[in-house]
Amino acid sequence: MMFAFCLSSQVKLSEKLSHVQSLCIHEMIVRAFKHIPRAVISAVVDKEKMASSIAGALNLLLGVPENRETDKSCDVHPLVWKWLELFLKKRFDWDLNRLNYKDVRKFAILRGLCHKVGIELVPRDFDMDSPFPFQKTDIVSLVAVHKQAACSSADGRQLLESSKTALDKGKHEDAVTYGTKALAKLVAVCGPYHRMTAGAYSLLAVVLYHTGDFNQVLFFSYMFFYSLEEGLGNVHIALRYLHKALKCNQKLLGADHIQVLCSFYFLFLPQFEGFLFNWILDKLN
């Protein structure tokens, strides 16, 4: 319940920070939705009907109602909307409105559901504007979910706290050193898109602002938004911020600097993964 309280507090305090509030609202919706597929999975007796039952639950949650006249405002089934309203109000003390739900990214919700419930889907483009975006053949398997497996770095967290402490004491050079080490640790352990990594980018931007290094402030600010957008599934927007960060560093440090090379790596990694995936599919076919 403590995590629910923290989440409800964050979403209320982030009214002027649209990115942060969007993350909180998406997380609350995923936590509300996850109970329905879990209940469906638990109720299935005939294992041969498991895939069709899961697909039906996902269609109910993420598809649009066949009779759109029942809910023109945000294309959601009335029962699903009622469940969301009651759950978010009781669990998080948050009043969900139509405007909030219109901005919801269904693919981000789907990714969160698969992660929390343990559903593996086939990699294809799902038509979220149809009543039945999922078929039973889309369900590959169910995998065990362990909450203890959540990515975290105790060393990275400790280095972040050391950087904050040094900043409070006015020791800006130490704050930069600790923040840089924390960022390197978090990228290695949690990846560039994790929320803790985004926090490290944000902290470094603040620290460097106090040192007067405004070019680096701009770079780490772009990287911070890059991590947030990538976490939300907005790949094109994320790459736009990453490209701005790359140009900023290239102008400041030169084309051969290690930090510029790292920016190139993050910029071309998604395209390379997509190319590799398509190449494998071609070979399999």
Side-chain angles (χ1 to χ4, degrees):
M1 290 300 294
M2 180 60 69
F3 291 107
F5 174 77
C6 293
L7 189 57
S8 62
S9 300
Q10 289 174 357
V11 73
K12 292 175 182 176
L13 293 172
S14 60
E15 292 183 356
K16 296 182 180 180
L17 301 172
S18 58
H19 287 80
V20 177
Q21 189 172 71
S22 178
L23 284 171
C24 294
I25 292 174
H26 277 72
E27 180 64 21
M28 290 191 296
I29 292 175
V30 169
R31 293 188 188 188
F33 276 177
K34 72 179 181 181
H35 297 283
I36 296 177
R38 285 179 178 177
V40 169
I41 292 170
S42 301
V44 173
V45 177
D46 187 357
K47 301 301 181 184
E48 293 183 357
K49 298 181 179 179
M50 180 67 75
S52 59
S53 300
I54 295 173
L58 293 177
N59 286 330
L60 175 66
L61 298 175
L62 299 174
V64 298
E66 289 186 275
N67 184 10
R68 295 198 178 191
E69 295 298 322
T70 60
D71 212 327
K72 294 181 180 179
S73 57
C74 56
D75 288 335
V76 61
H77 196 283
L79 290 176
V80 174
W81 180 256
K82 190 66 175 177
W83 167 258
L84 274 178
E85 280 187 318
L86 292 174
F87 188 95
L88 268 60
K89 180 63 178 177
K90 185 175 181 180
R91 186 68 179 273
F92 303 106
D93 192 25
W94 174 256
D95 294 315
L96 183 67
N97 56 52
R98 303 290 182 178
L99 184 60
N100 293 146
Y101 199 83
K102 278 185 176 180
D103 295 332
V104 165
R105 298 167 180 84
K106 289 188 176 181
F107 282 102
I109 300 297
L110 176 62
R111 182 172 60 250
L113 277 176
C114 291
H115 177 72
K116 291 183 182 295
V117 181
I119 302 172
E120 183 181 358
L121 300 176
V122 296
R124 73 174 182 87
D125 291 329
F126 297 100
D127 183 10
M128 295 298 189
D129 293 326
S130 70
F132 307 104
F134 304 95
Q135 307 297 328
K136 67 177 183 179
T137 53
D138 294 325
I139 312 301
V140 177
S141 65
L142 290 173
V143 296
V145 177
H146 303 280
K147 289 186 176 181
Q148 293 81 359
C151 181
S152 181
S153 172
D155 293 337
R157 189 182 299 110
Q158 185 176 1
L159 287 167
L160 282 177
E161 292 301 322
S162 298
S163 180
K164 293 177 184 177
T165 302
L167 179 62
D168 291 338
K169 294 180 178 179
K171 300 179 179 179
H172 296 154
E173 291 185 4
D174 292 341
V176 172
T177 301
Y178 286 127
T180 305
K181 290 181 179 179
L183 178 61
K185 179 69 69 174
L186 291 171
V187 169
V189 175
C190 303
Y193 317 136
H194 196 268
R195 58 181 179 83
M196 290 185 67
T197 307
Y201 283 127
S202 178
L203 177 62
L204 270 173
V206 173
V207 171
L208 290 166
Y209 175 81
H210 286 279
T211 64
D213 192 347
F214 298 114
N215 289 318
Q216 287 287 73
V217 169
L218 191 60
F219 166 76
F220 284 108
S221 297
Y222 284 142
M223 293 301 293
F224 169 66
F225 285 113
Y226 159 68
S227 298
L228 286 182
E229 293 292 351
E230 187 70 38
L232 286 172
N234 302 329
V235 179
H236 295 295
I237 300 177
L239 290 178
R240 194 181 308 156
Y241 281 117
L242 185 57
H243 190 256
K244 290 181 179 179
L246 174 61
K247 289 197 297 183
C248 178
N249 254 4
Q250 202 168 10
K251 180 179 179 181
L252 178 67
L253 303 173
D256 298 331
H257 196 274
I258 183 64
Q259 199 163 290
V260 177
L261 297 178
C262 289
S263 299
F264 271 115
Y265 169 77
F266 288 133
L267 181 62
F268 290 110
L269 182 61
Q271 288 89 332
F272 175 74
E273 288 177 344
F275 169 79
L276 182 61
F277 177 72
N278 291 330
W279 182 81
I280 292 174
L281 285 181
D282 291 339
K283 291 298 181 182
L284 290 176
N285 293 332

